[in-house]
Amino acid sequence: MSEPMLVIRDLHGYYGKSHVLHGVNLEIGQGEIVSLLGRNGVGRSTTAKAVMGMVAARGSIRFKGQELLGRKPHDIARLGVGYVPENRDIFPDLTVKQNLMLGMKSARQKGRWSMDDMYALFPRLKERENTPGGVLSGGEQQMLTLCRTLMGDPDLIMIDEPTEGLAPKIVELVGSFLKEVEKRGISILLVEQKLAIALDISERLYVMGHGHIVFEGTPADLKDNEAVRKEWLEV
Amino acid sequence: MEFFLISLLNGVTYGLLLFMLSSGLTLIFSMMGVLNFAHASFYMLGAYFAYQISTYLGFGAALLVAPLVVGALGAVVERYGLRKAHRFGHVAELLFTFGLAFLVEEIVHLVWGKSSVDYKIPEYFDGTLFTLFSTSFPIYKGFMMLVSVGMLVALYLLLTRTRIGLIIQAALSKPDMVQALGHDVPKIFMLVFGGGTALAGLAGVIGGNAFITEPGMAAAVGSIVFVVVVVGGMGSLAGAFVASLLIGCIQTFSVGITFSVTDLAALFGVRLEDSSAVARLTVTQLAPVLPYLLMVAILIFRPRGLMGARES
Ligand SMILES: Nc1ncnc2c1ncn2[C@@H]1O[C@H](COP(=O)(O)OP(=O)(O)OP(=O)(O)O)[C@@H](O)[C@H]1O
Ligand SMILES: [Mg+2]
């Protein structure tokens, strides 16, 4: 069997002198949806940022057989890693269409996704094509940032808490969107707080506590393991 | 009326030239988060390079080549100087630009000497474009206006209508996100710095012969451009535009006004009998101080400038 899409081994991450990740191990296969769960502040976002080359880290992160540590974020993106940050980070003064255009890595790029695909998935974005991103609702902004990253044609997409602060109906929409993305062979790392959506769409899950992985398994495994949920997830 | 129209034309010409400098400075400020104190040094280099090139190849060649050389120099300074200083924080960057300004001045002393050089308006631009009542408006001023407006339109189209312009706009506010989308932000910043200094160089090419090309020109213009950026609002291009025109006009209008403190007092029905220096002070004499007075007033009453978004 060939190497999985993403292999993280013994990853340590730092913000200046503070040591946040203590040896994270994690794998994501081709076309797999994997969730990374855990309480506030355990280091889930930091893990995603480390893959993106945005925090100081040591250990190993291999993506499609290539080492990512030491590379610049734009380089990592160009290798095929997409990142949707937790604060969504849309460009508020640019229009919806311009935001999507910025997702493309070059003007001529022909990827799996076109602007029309995005509008077909989320007709609401088409309606608001010429509206500045800043005036969209939270749900619309989340769709925009997901689509913007897809426009870059990634093979792996890391999504940090996409459902935070969204109404249940929108959460459902995000879930079916992720399923749609997976169907095209794209791997997904979903950083989540909400157990329900993670159990619903993931093939495998990791639970994180204090900077390392404390559980790994299928949704069924996690449902059966009350001890892990009690100790590491429920508040 | 005549005084008004001519002053307005001169003010706008000067203001547009200021915008050529302040637009680059503003873009670079948005990007670095600190003021580039060496910005006017690139203006000076533009003038000296243009002088040198025009002695061999003529003004036309200087107009094209000098800004490109200055821009390339700017890009090199960003890539191998500022980018390194950036790692040590804002203070290091600020000190770097300070040092650079002194360095450029010393180099100019060494190469071209301490007095002014004979950088003249080309003969084919000598003459009068039109005469308004009894005052003439020179062809060269018209040419300066044309170049400035051309640059303004080109900058606007570049920033709002092209892909690279979009990436620049986005990278100014959220560099990390733009980087994560696969754009080489450090390279874009180098281009912005190079482009901004090229504009300063272009201003030097057309300003150096309209005014005077000498080693003190960077310091003289630098402080006015600093005022423009503060008054307009740090980081706001629209603000820099308005402030450039405003200060350009204030300076040209005030030079022509012989209204004195005694006259002012008379307006309020006060007769100043003594003829002290203060009482005889006219607006013309105050002209050099007015931009700074405006800056201080803005800092007191509207610290974020006319159109600035930042509160700092
Ligand atoms: N920029 C930063 N500088 C210093 N420390 C940080 C920074 N960002 C996060 N931390 C710290 O690192 C730890 C892990 O943060 P991280 O953002 O990875 O948490 P998380 O698991 O994503 O949780 P949440 O998103 O709910 O905060 C936390 O203790 C946090 O305080
Ligand atoms: Mg987080």
Coordinates of all heavy atoms in Angstrom, one line a residue, chain A residues 78-148:
Chain A
R78 N 0.9 25.4 -2.5 CA 1.1 25.0 -3.9 C 1.3 23.5 -4.1 O 1.1 22.9 -5.1 CB 2.3 25.8 -4.5 CG 1.8 27.2 -4.8 CD 2.8 28.1 -5.4 NE 2.2 29.3 -5.7 CZ 1.7 29.6 -6.9 NH1 1.8 28.8 -7.9 NH2 1.1 30.8 -7.1
L79 N 1.8 22.8 -3.0 CA 1.9 21.4 -3.1 C 0.5 20.7 -3.0 O 0.4 19.5 -3.3 CB 2.8 20.8 -1.9 CG 4.3 21.1 -2.0 CD1 5.0 20.6 -0.8 CD2 4.8 20.3 -3.2
G80 N -0.5 21.4 -2.6 CA -1.8 20.9 -2.6 C -2.5 20.8 -1.2 O -3.5 20.0 -1.0
V81 N -2.0 21.6 -0.2 CA -2.7 21.6 1.1 C -3.5 22.9 1.1 O -3.1 24.0 0.9 CB -1.6 21.7 2.2 CG1 -2.4 21.6 3.6 CG2 -0.7 20.5 2.1
G82 N -4.8 22.7 1.4 CA -5.7 23.9 1.6 C -6.0 24.1 3.1 O -6.0 23.1 3.8
Y83 N -6.2 25.3 3.5 CA -6.4 25.6 4.9 C -7.5 26.6 5.0 O -7.5 27.7 4.4 CB -5.1 26.1 5.5 CG -5.1 26.7 6.9 CD1 -5.6 25.9 7.9 CD2 -4.7 28.0 7.2 CE1 -5.7 26.4 9.2 CE2 -4.7 28.5 8.5 CZ -5.2 27.7 9.5 OH -5.2 28.2 10.7
V84 N -8.5 26.3 5.8 CA -9.6 27.2 6.1 C -9.5 27.5 7.6 O -9.8 26.7 8.5 CB -10.9 26.6 5.8 CG1 -12.1 27.5 6.2 CG2 -11.0 26.2 4.4
P85 N -9.0 28.7 8.0 CA -8.7 29.0 9.4 C -10.0 29.2 10.2 O -11.1 29.4 9.6 CB -7.9 30.3 9.3 CG -8.3 31.0 8.1 CD -8.7 29.9 7.1
E86 N -9.8 29.2 11.5 CA -10.9 29.3 12.4 C -11.7 30.6 12.4 O -12.9 30.6 12.4 CB -10.3 28.9 13.7 CG -10.6 29.4 15.0 CD -9.7 28.7 16.1 OE1 -8.4 28.9 16.1 OE2 -10.3 28.0 16.9
N87 N -11.0 31.7 12.1 CA -11.6 33.0 12.1 C -12.1 33.3 10.6 O -12.5 34.4 10.4 CB -10.7 34.1 12.6 CG -9.4 34.0 11.9 OD1 -9.2 33.3 10.8 ND2 -8.4 34.6 12.4
R88 N -12.0 32.3 9.7 CA -12.5 32.4 8.4 C -11.7 33.3 7.5 O -11.5 33.1 6.3 CB -14.0 32.8 8.3 CG -14.8 31.7 8.9 CD -16.3 32.1 9.2 NE -16.8 31.1 10.1 CZ -17.9 31.2 10.8 NH1 -18.5 32.4 10.9 NH2 -18.3 30.3 11.6
D89 N -11.3 34.5 8.0 CA -10.4 35.3 7.3 C -10.7 35.6 5.8 O -9.9 35.5 4.9 CB -9.0 34.7 7.3 CG -8.1 35.4 8.3 OD1 -8.5 36.5 8.8 OD2 -7.0 34.8 8.7
I90 N -12.0 36.0 5.6 CA -12.3 36.4 4.2 C -11.8 37.8 4.1 O -11.5 38.5 5.1 CB -13.9 36.4 4.0 CG1 -14.5 37.2 5.1 CG2 -14.4 35.0 3.9 CD1 -15.6 38.1 4.7
F91 N -11.7 38.3 2.8 CA -11.2 39.7 2.6 C -12.4 40.6 2.6 O -13.2 40.6 1.6 CB -10.4 39.7 1.3 CG -9.3 38.7 1.3 CD1 -9.2 37.7 0.3 CD2 -8.3 38.8 2.2 CE1 -8.2 36.8 0.3 CE2 -7.2 37.8 2.2 CZ -7.2 36.9 1.3
P92 N -12.7 41.3 3.6 CA -14.0 42.0 3.8 C -14.2 43.1 2.7 O -15.4 43.3 2.4 CB -13.9 42.6 5.2 CG -12.4 42.7 5.5 CD -11.8 41.6 4.8
D93 N -13.2 43.7 2.2 CA -13.4 44.8 1.3 C -13.6 44.3 -0.2 O -14.0 45.1 -1.0 CB -12.3 45.8 1.3 CG -12.2 46.4 2.7 OD1 -13.2 46.5 3.4 OD2 -11.0 46.8 3.1
L94 N -13.2 43.1 -0.4 CA -13.3 42.5 -1.7 C -14.6 41.8 -1.9 O -15.2 41.3 -0.9 CB -12.1 41.6 -2.0 CG -10.7 42.2 -1.8 CD1 -9.6 41.1 -2.2 CD2 -10.5 43.4 -2.7
T95 N -15.1 41.8 -3.2 CA -16.4 41.1 -3.4 C -16.2 39.6 -3.3 O -15.1 39.1 -3.3 CB -16.9 41.4 -4.8 OG1 -16.0 40.9 -5.8 CG2 -17.0 42.9 -5.1
V96 N -17.4 39.0 -3.3 CA -17.4 37.5 -3.2 C -16.6 36.9 -4.3 O -15.8 36.0 -4.2 CB -18.9 37.0 -3.2 CG1 -19.0 35.5 -3.5 CG2 -19.6 37.4 -1.9
K97 N -16.8 37.4 -5.5 CA -16.2 36.9 -6.7 C -14.6 37.1 -6.6 O -13.9 36.2 -6.9 CB -16.7 37.7 -7.9 CG -16.3 37.0 -9.2 CD -17.0 37.7 -10.4 CE -16.5 37.2 -11.7 NZ -17.1 37.9 -12.8
Q98 N -14.2 38.3 -6.1 CA -12.8 38.6 -6.0 C -12.2 37.7 -4.9 O -11.1 37.2 -5.1 CB -12.6 40.1 -5.6 CG -12.9 41.0 -6.8 CD -12.8 42.5 -6.3 OE1 -13.2 42.8 -5.2 NE2 -12.4 43.3 -7.2
N99 N -12.9 37.4 -3.8 CA -12.4 36.5 -2.8 C -12.2 35.1 -3.5 O -11.1 34.5 -3.2 CB -13.5 36.3 -1.7 CG -13.2 37.3 -0.5 OD1 -12.4 37.0 0.4 ND2 -13.8 38.4 -0.6
L100 N -13.1 34.7 -4.3 CA -12.9 33.4 -4.9 C -11.8 33.4 -5.9 O -11.0 32.4 -6.0 CB -14.2 33.0 -5.7 CG -15.4 32.6 -4.8 CD1 -16.7 32.4 -5.7 CD2 -15.1 31.4 -3.9
M101 N -11.6 34.5 -6.6 CA -10.5 34.6 -7.5 C -9.1 34.5 -6.8 O -8.2 33.9 -7.3 CB -10.5 35.9 -8.3 CG -11.4 35.9 -9.5 SD -11.7 37.6 -10.1 CE -10.0 38.0 -10.6
L102 N -9.1 35.0 -5.6 CA -7.8 35.0 -4.9 C -7.5 33.5 -4.4 O -6.4 33.2 -4.1 CB -7.9 35.9 -3.6 CG -7.6 37.3 -4.0 CD1 -7.9 38.2 -2.8 CD2 -6.2 37.5 -4.4
G103 N -8.5 32.7 -4.4 CA -8.3 31.3 -4.1 C -7.5 30.6 -5.1 O -6.7 29.6 -4.9
M104 N -7.6 31.0 -6.4 CA -6.8 30.4 -7.5 C -5.4 30.8 -7.4 O -5.0 31.9 -7.1 CB -7.4 30.9 -8.8 CG -8.8 30.4 -9.1 SD -9.3 30.7 -10.8 CE -9.7 32.4 -10.7
K105 N -4.5 29.8 -7.6 CA -3.1 30.1 -7.4 C -2.4 30.8 -8.6 O -1.4 31.4 -8.5 CB -2.4 28.8 -7.0 CG -2.7 28.4 -5.6 CD -2.3 27.0 -5.3 CE -2.9 26.6 -4.0 NZ -3.4 25.2 -3.9
S106 N -3.1 30.6 -9.7 CA -2.6 31.4 -10.9 C -3.8 31.7 -11.8 O -4.9 31.1 -11.6 CB -1.5 30.6 -11.7 OG -2.2 29.7 -12.4
A107 N -3.6 32.7 -12.7 CA -4.7 33.1 -13.5 C -5.2 32.1 -14.4 O -6.4 32.0 -14.8 CB -4.4 34.4 -14.2
R108 N -4.3 31.2 -14.8 CA -4.7 30.2 -15.9 C -5.0 28.8 -15.3 O -5.3 27.9 -16.1 CB -3.5 30.1 -16.9 CG -3.5 31.2 -17.9 CD -2.3 31.2 -18.7 NE -1.1 31.4 -17.9 CZ -0.7 32.5 -17.4 NH1 -1.3 33.6 -17.7 NH2 0.4 32.6 -16.6
Q109 N -4.8 28.7 -14.0 CA -5.0 27.4 -13.4 C -6.3 26.7 -13.8 O -7.4 27.2 -13.7 CB -4.9 27.5 -11.9 CG -5.3 26.3 -11.1 CD -5.7 26.7 -9.7 OE1 -5.0 27.6 -9.1 NE2 -6.7 26.1 -9.1
K110 N -6.2 25.4 -14.2 CA -7.4 24.6 -14.4 C -7.4 23.5 -13.4 O -6.7 22.6 -13.5 CB -7.4 24.0 -15.8 CG -7.9 24.9 -16.9 CD -9.4 24.7 -17.1 CE -10.1 25.8 -17.9 NZ -10.1 27.1 -17.2
G111 N -8.3 23.7 -12.4 CA -8.4 22.7 -11.3 C -9.6 21.9 -11.5 O -10.3 21.9 -12.5
R112 N -9.9 21.1 -10.4 CA -11.1 20.3 -10.4 C -12.3 21.1 -10.3 O -13.4 20.7 -10.6 CB -11.0 19.4 -9.1 CG -10.6 18.0 -9.3 CD -10.2 17.3 -8.0 NE -8.9 17.8 -7.6 CZ -8.2 17.2 -6.7 NH1 -8.5 16.0 -6.2 NH2 -7.0 17.7 -6.3
W113 N -12.2 22.4 -9.7 CA -13.3 23.2 -9.4 C -13.3 24.5 -10.2 O -12.3 25.1 -10.3 CB -13.3 23.5 -7.9 CG -13.1 22.4 -7.0 CD1 -11.9 21.9 -6.6 CD2 -14.1 21.5 -6.5 NE1 -12.1 20.8 -5.8 CE2 -13.5 20.6 -5.7 CE3 -15.5 21.5 -6.5 CZ2 -14.2 19.6 -5.0 CZ3 -16.2 20.6 -5.8 CH2 -15.5 19.6 -5.1
S114 N -14.5 24.9 -10.7 CA -14.6 26.2 -11.3 C -15.5 27.1 -10.5 O -16.2 26.6 -9.6 CB -15.2 26.0 -12.7 OG -16.6 25.7 -12.6
M115 N -15.5 28.3 -10.8 CA -16.3 29.3 -10.1 C -17.8 28.8 -10.2 O -18.5 28.9 -9.2 CB -16.1 30.6 -10.8 CG -16.5 31.8 -10.0 SD -15.1 32.5 -9.0 CE -14.2 33.5 -10.1
D116 N -18.2 28.3 -11.3 CA -19.6 27.8 -11.5 C -19.9 26.7 -10.6 O -21.0 26.5 -10.1 CB -19.9 27.5 -13.0 CG -19.9 28.7 -13.8 OD1 -20.2 29.8 -13.3 OD2 -19.6 28.6 -15.0
D117 N -18.9 25.8 -10.4 CA -19.2 24.7 -9.4 C -19.5 25.2 -8.1 O -20.4 24.7 -7.4 CB -17.9 23.8 -9.3 CG -17.6 23.0 -10.6 OD1 -18.6 22.7 -11.3 OD2 -16.4 22.7 -10.8
M118 N -18.8 26.2 -7.7 CA -19.0 26.8 -6.4 C -20.4 27.4 -6.3 O -21.1 27.2 -5.3 CB -18.0 27.9 -6.1 CG -16.5 27.5 -6.1 SD -16.2 26.3 -4.8 CE -15.7 24.9 -5.7
Y119 N -20.8 28.1 -7.3 CA -22.1 28.8 -7.3 C -23.2 27.7 -7.4 O -24.3 27.9 -6.8 CB -22.2 29.7 -8.5 CG -21.3 30.9 -8.4 CD1 -20.9 31.6 -9.6 CD2 -21.0 31.5 -7.2 CE1 -20.1 32.7 -9.5 CE2 -20.2 32.6 -7.1 CZ -19.7 33.2 -8.2 OH -19.0 34.3 -8.1
A120 N -22.9 26.5 -8.0 CA -23.9 25.5 -8.0 C -24.1 24.9 -6.7 O -25.2 24.6 -6.2 CB -23.5 24.4 -9.1
L121 N -22.9 24.7 -5.9 CA -23.0 24.2 -4.6 C -23.7 25.1 -3.6 O -24.5 24.7 -2.8 CB -21.6 23.9 -4.1 CG -20.9 22.6 -4.5 CD1 -19.4 22.6 -4.2 CD2 -21.6 21.4 -3.9
F122 N -23.4 26.4 -3.8 CA -24.0 27.4 -2.9 C -24.5 28.5 -3.7 O -23.9 29.6 -3.9 CB -22.9 28.0 -1.9 CG -22.4 27.1 -0.9 CD1 -21.0 26.9 -0.8 CD2 -23.2 26.4 -0.1 CE1 -20.5 26.0 0.1 CE2 -22.7 25.5 0.9 CZ -21.3 25.3 1.0
P123 N -25.8 28.4 -4.2 CA -26.4 29.4 -5.1 C -26.4 30.8 -4.4 O -26.4 31.8 -5.1 CB -27.8 28.9 -5.3 CG -27.8 27.4 -5.0 CD -26.7 27.2 -4.0
R124 N -26.4 30.8 -3.1 CA -26.4 32.0 -2.4 C -25.2 32.9 -2.7 O -25.3 34.1 -2.7 CB -26.4 31.7 -0.9 CG -26.6 32.8 0.0 CD -28.1 33.2 0.2 NE -28.2 34.4 0.9 CZ -28.7 35.6 0.5 NH1 -29.3 35.6 -0.7 NH2 -28.8 36.6 1.2
L125 N -24.1 32.2 -3.0 CA -22.9 33.0 -3.3 C -23.0 33.7 -4.7 O -22.5 34.8 -4.9 CB -21.6 32.1 -3.3 CG -21.2 31.6 -2.0 CD1 -19.9 30.7 -2.1 CD2 -20.9 32.7 -1.0
K126 N -23.7 33.0 -5.6 CA -23.9 33.6 -6.9 C -24.8 34.9 -6.8 O -24.4 35.9 -7.4 CB -24.7 32.5 -7.8 CG -25.1 33.1 -9.1 CD -24.0 33.1 -10.2 CE -24.4 33.8 -11.4 NZ -23.3 34.3 -12.2
E127 N -25.8 34.8 -6.0 CA -26.6 35.9 -5.8 C -25.9 37.1 -5.2 O -26.1 38.3 -5.5 CB -27.8 35.6 -4.8 CG -28.9 34.7 -5.3 CD -29.7 34.2 -4.1 OE1 -29.8 34.9 -3.1 OE2 -30.1 33.0 -4.3
R128 N -24.8 36.8 -4.4 CA -24.1 37.9 -3.7 C -22.7 38.1 -4.3 O -21.9 38.7 -3.7 CB -24.0 37.5 -2.2 CG -25.2 37.0 -1.6 CD -25.4 37.4 -0.2 NE -25.7 38.9 -0.1 CZ -25.9 39.5 1.0 NH1 -25.7 38.9 2.2 NH2 -26.1 40.8 1.0
E129 N -22.6 37.6 -5.6 CA -21.3 37.7 -6.3 C -20.6 39.0 -6.2 O -19.4 39.1 -6.0 CB -21.6 37.4 -7.8 CG -20.4 37.1 -8.6 CD -20.9 36.7 -10.1 OE1 -21.8 37.4 -10.6 OE2 -20.3 35.8 -10.6
N130 N -21.3 40.1 -6.3 CA -20.7 41.4 -6.3 C -20.8 42.2 -5.0 O -20.5 43.4 -4.9 CB -21.2 42.3 -7.4 CG -20.9 41.7 -8.8 OD1 -19.8 41.3 -9.0 ND2 -21.9 41.5 -9.6
T131 N -21.1 41.5 -3.9 CA -21.2 42.1 -2.6 C -19.9 42.0 -1.9 O -19.2 40.9 -2.0 CB -22.3 41.3 -1.8 OG1 -23.4 41.1 -2.6 CG2 -22.6 42.0 -0.5
P132 N -19.5 43.0 -1.2 CA -18.2 42.8 -0.4 C -18.4 41.7 0.6 O -19.4 41.5 1.3 CB -18.1 44.2 0.3 CG -19.0 45.1 -0.4 CD -20.1 44.3 -1.0
G133 N -17.3 40.9 0.8 CA -17.3 39.8 1.7 C -17.7 40.1 3.1 O -18.3 39.4 3.8
G134 N -17.3 41.4 3.5 CA -17.5 41.8 4.9 C -19.0 41.9 5.3 O -19.3 41.8 6.5
V135 N -19.9 42.0 4.3 CA -21.3 42.2 4.8 C -22.1 40.9 4.7 O -23.3 40.9 5.0 CB -22.0 43.3 3.9 CG1 -21.3 44.6 3.9 CG2 -22.3 42.8 2.5
L136 N -21.4 39.8 4.4 CA -22.1 38.5 4.4 C -22.4 38.0 5.8 O -21.7 38.4 6.7 CB -21.3 37.4 3.7 CG -20.8 37.7 2.2 CD1 -20.1 36.4 1.7 CD2 -22.0 37.9 1.3
S137 N -23.4 37.2 5.9 CA -23.7 36.6 7.2 C -22.6 35.6 7.6 O -21.8 35.2 6.7 CB -25.0 35.9 7.2 OG -25.0 34.7 6.4
G138 N -22.6 35.1 8.8 CA -21.5 34.2 9.3 C -21.6 32.9 8.4 O -20.5 32.4 8.0
G139 N -22.8 32.4 8.1 CA -22.9 31.2 7.3 C -22.3 31.4 5.9 O -21.6 30.5 5.4
E140 N -22.7 32.5 5.3 CA -22.3 32.8 4.0 C -20.8 33.0 3.9 O -20.1 32.5 3.0 CB -23.0 34.1 3.5 CG -24.4 33.9 3.2 CD -25.2 35.3 3.0 OE1 -24.6 36.3 3.4 OE2 -26.3 35.2 2.5
Q141 N -20.2 33.6 5.0 CA -18.8 33.8 5.0 C -18.1 32.4 5.1 O -17.0 32.2 4.5 CB -18.3 34.6 6.2 CG -18.7 36.1 6.0 CD -18.0 37.0 7.1 OE1 -17.4 36.5 8.0 NE2 -18.3 38.3 6.9
Q142 N -18.7 31.5 5.9 CA -18.1 30.2 6.0 C -18.1 29.5 4.6 O -17.1 28.8 4.2 CB -18.8 29.3 7.0 CG -18.2 28.0 7.3 CD -16.8 28.2 7.9 OE1 -16.5 28.9 8.8 NE2 -15.8 27.5 7.3
M143 N -19.2 29.6 3.9 CA -19.3 29.0 2.6 C -18.2 29.6 1.6 O -17.5 28.9 0.9 CB -20.6 29.2 1.9 CG -21.7 28.5 2.7 SD -23.3 29.1 2.2 CE -24.3 28.4 3.5
L144 N -18.1 30.9 1.8 CA -17.2 31.6 0.9 C -15.7 31.2 1.2 O -15.0 30.9 0.2 CB -17.3 33.1 1.1 CG -16.3 34.0 0.3 CD1 -16.5 33.8 -1.2 CD2 -16.5 35.5 0.7
T145 N -15.4 31.0 2.4 CA -14.0 30.7 2.7 C -13.7 29.2 2.3 O -12.6 28.9 1.8 CB -13.6 31.0 4.2 OG1 -12.3 30.5 4.4 CG2 -14.5 30.4 5.2
L146 N -14.7 28.3 2.5 CA -14.6 27.0 2.0 C -14.3 26.9 0.5 O -13.4 26.3 0.0 CB -15.8 26.1 2.4 CG -16.0 25.7 3.8 CD1 -17.4 25.2 4.1 CD2 -14.9 24.7 4.2
C147 N -15.2 27.7 -0.2 CA -15.1 27.7 -1.7 C -13.8 28.3 -2.1 O -13.2 27.9 -3.1 CB -16.3 28.4 -2.3 SG -17.8 27.6 -2.1
R148 N -13.4 29.4 -1.4 CA -12.1 30.0 -1.8 C -11.0 29.1 -1.8 O -10.1 29.0 -2.7 CB -11.9 31.2 -0.9 CG -10.7 32.1 -1.2 CD -10.5 33.2 -0.3 NE -10.3 32.7 1.1 CZ -10.2 33.5 2.1 NH1 -10.3 34.8 2.0 NH2 -9.9 33.0 3.3

